[in-house]
Amino acid sequence: MDAWLTLAFLCLACCCHGTLACPALCKCYLRRAEVVCSEAPLAEFPSEGLPANTTQLTIQYTNITSISGHHLSAVPLLEGLHLYSNNLKNLSSDLLQGVPRLHTLDLTGNKLADMPLKVFHHAPLTSLVLKNNLIEKADPEWLPDNSSLTWLDLSGNRLSGVPSALLQKLPRLENLDLSYNQLEKITPKSLDPLAKLERLNLQHNKLSSLHPLMFQSTRNLTHLFLPENRLEKLSPSLFHGLDKLKVLSLDDNQLRFVQPELLDQLLSLEEEGLDLTVNPWLCDQKVEYLWRWLQKNKEKAFLVDTVRCAQPQTLAGRSVVSLTQSELNLES
């Protein structure tokens, strides 16, 4: 009985000192120092009652519209902050000033457009996710010089370009996701500072061409995604030096043929690692290089039998790999 009374007294003491408190509309998992708030009626940041030792905080599907450094000062040991699908429109410039251990910040699915300068300063962020917001311009001044970021996700926004000055601040970056934006071009050498980049996603943009030297300094790339663009022609030297590339997606573009030597440099492609489907391949003598490459590397092409001719009409719908030399008017 004495033991039970002692335990009850300790629990009461803890509650009085706030260590077991939990904000309304939130759930607190004390053993793993995590708080999850996912109730729509929540309209303000739940500063009061947050356990001071919280290291992981998730606030999702609420009506919170703004967040400041003052709010986060309630959780100075925070390491991961996940703010999915709220109604955030405003962030303060001192946002991360009171969370010196924060390494992961996820702001997916909010209504962020313009953000203040230095908004992501003051904390050693390694992962920043701004997916599915309303951002039209990525300001280099959001980030500190020599940023610690290894993961940056800007997908699902309204970007028409990415400033070189922003990329220059990301020497440690390993993953860059710019998919589902409105990018029309990427300036030559803009990716040069990203020597450690391993994954680059440019899916579903408006790219019609790529500079021949675009990837000259990103030789650690293992995954490159370029589908759903408007690419018509690729320089034969475009992939030169990418000898670690395992996955390359070029599907759903406007490619009619590929230049000789383009694919020969991709020695590390994994099985079904190259996607060339949904392109209007012109199956005349210009397709010879692709035809011969596919004959030798069938296992590296994704759904190789669906890489089909669009023209001429007599071969439309045929898989490129199934064609014969006579059909392509090639000499033996």
Side-chain angles (χ1 to χ4, degrees):
M1 180 65 70
D2 289 343
W4 284 107
L5 288 173
T6 301
L7 181 60
F9 177 79
L10 289 174
C11 289
L12 180 61
C14 288
C15 289
C16 290
H17 285 84
T19 56
L20 293 183
C22 192
L25 306 177
C26 298
K27 295 180 180 179
C28 296
Y29 304 93
L30 300 177
R31 288 187 178 180
R32 58 178 188 258
E34 181 178 5
V35 178
V36 178
C37 309
S38 56
E39 299 291 337
L42 192 62
E44 295 183 358
F45 188 88
S47 299
E48 294 186 11
L50 280 173
N53 67 335
T54 301
T55 60
Q56 298 292 327
L57 175 59
T58 298
I59 299 176
Q60 56 190 1
Y61 311 117
T62 75
N63 284 306
I64 294 175
T65 59
S66 64
I67 182 173
S68 70
H70 173 71
H71 293 134
L72 295 184
S73 65
V75 280
L77 302 182
L78 201 61
E79 297 175 2
L81 177 59
H82 310 275
L83 299 167
Y84 315 129
S85 300
N86 297 288
N87 281 298
L88 287 173
K89 299 176 183 178
N90 300 299
L91 304 176
S92 68
S93 58
D94 66 346
L95 179 66
L96 307 182
Q97 212 158 36
V99 282
R101 299 185 181 186
L102 191 73
H103 56 72
T104 299
L105 177 58
D106 192 333
L107 291 155
T108 297
N110 284 284
K111 298 178 180 179
L112 298 170
D114 297 322
M115 291 182 285
L117 304 183
K118 300 185 177 182
V119 62
F120 303 123
H121 287 227
H122 312 301
L125 289 179
T126 58
S127 177
L128 175 60
V129 181
L130 293 164
K131 181 178 181 178
N132 294 347
N133 277 280
L134 306 174
I135 300 169
E136 296 183 2
K137 181 181 179 182
D139 195 317
E141 296 305 314
W142 292 344
L143 298 173
D145 293 336
N146 199 27
S147 168
S148 299
L149 284 179
T150 60
W151 187 293
L152 177 59
D153 188 343
L154 283 160
S155 62
N157 281 285
R158 301 174 179 179
L159 297 173
S160 58
V162 181
S164 297
L166 176 74
L167 301 180
Q168 287 172 3
K169 295 188 171 187
L170 300 168
R172 298 174 178 80
L173 201 65
E174 297 174 3
N175 186 307
L176 177 58
D177 194 337
L178 296 168
S179 60
Y180 291 87
N181 277 286
Q182 300 173 22
L183 302 179
E184 296 183 0
K185 67 177 182 178
I186 297 178
T187 56
K189 298 187 177 183
S190 62
L191 298 180
D192 284 5
L194 309 183
K196 294 188 177 182
L197 195 65
E198 296 178 3
R199 301 175 70 98
L200 175 60
N201 193 343
L202 294 168
Q203 180 176 359
H204 198 93
N205 279 285
K206 299 179 180 180
L207 300 170
S208 58
S209 64
L210 300 172
H211 192 275
L213 300 178
M214 179 174 170
F215 303 117
Q216 67 173 351
S217 297
T218 55
R219 300 196 173 192
N220 281 306
L221 276 177
T222 59
H223 294 72
L224 177 57
F225 303 98
L226 294 163
E228 298 177 64
N229 278 284
R230 302 172 181 178
L231 298 173
E232 297 179 1
K233 186 177 180 180
L234 303 175
S235 166
S237 63
L238 182 62
F239 303 130
H240 181 72
L242 299 186
D243 51 13
K244 296 182 181 180
L245 201 63
K246 297 178 181 179
V247 173
L248 173 60
S249 296
L250 290 165
D251 47 301
D252 207 352
N253 278 284
Q254 297 299 314
L255 298 172
R256 303 179 73 203
F257 62 92
V258 293
Q259 300 274 23
E261 301 183 12
L262 178 72
L263 304 176
D264 296 339
Q265 304 154 50
L266 304 177
L267 302 178
S268 296
L269 283 175
E270 61 186 27
E271 185 174 340
E272 296 196 336
L274 176 63
D275 193 343
L276 297 168
T277 59
V278 199
N279 279 286
W281 299 109
L282 174 59
C283 292
D284 60 10
Q285 291 180 327
K286 285 186 176 181
V287 85
E288 178 183 0
Y289 168 72
L290 176 59
W291 175 73
R292 293 190 184 279
W293 190 91
L294 289 174
Q295 293 287 339
K296 295 178 181 178
N297 300 277
K298 291 180 183 179
E299 75 287 351
K300 293 185 178 181
F302 177 71
L303 297 178
V304 66
D305 291 328
T306 64
V307 181
R308 300 183 184 278
C309 305
Q311 292 181 326
Q313 189 61 39
T314 54
L315 297 176
R318 286 280 303 279
S319 65
V320 173
V321 75
S322 72
L323 300 176
T324 64
Q325 286 184 318
S326 60
E327 287 174 319
L328 295 175
N329 295 317
L330 303 177
E331 295 180 3
S332 300

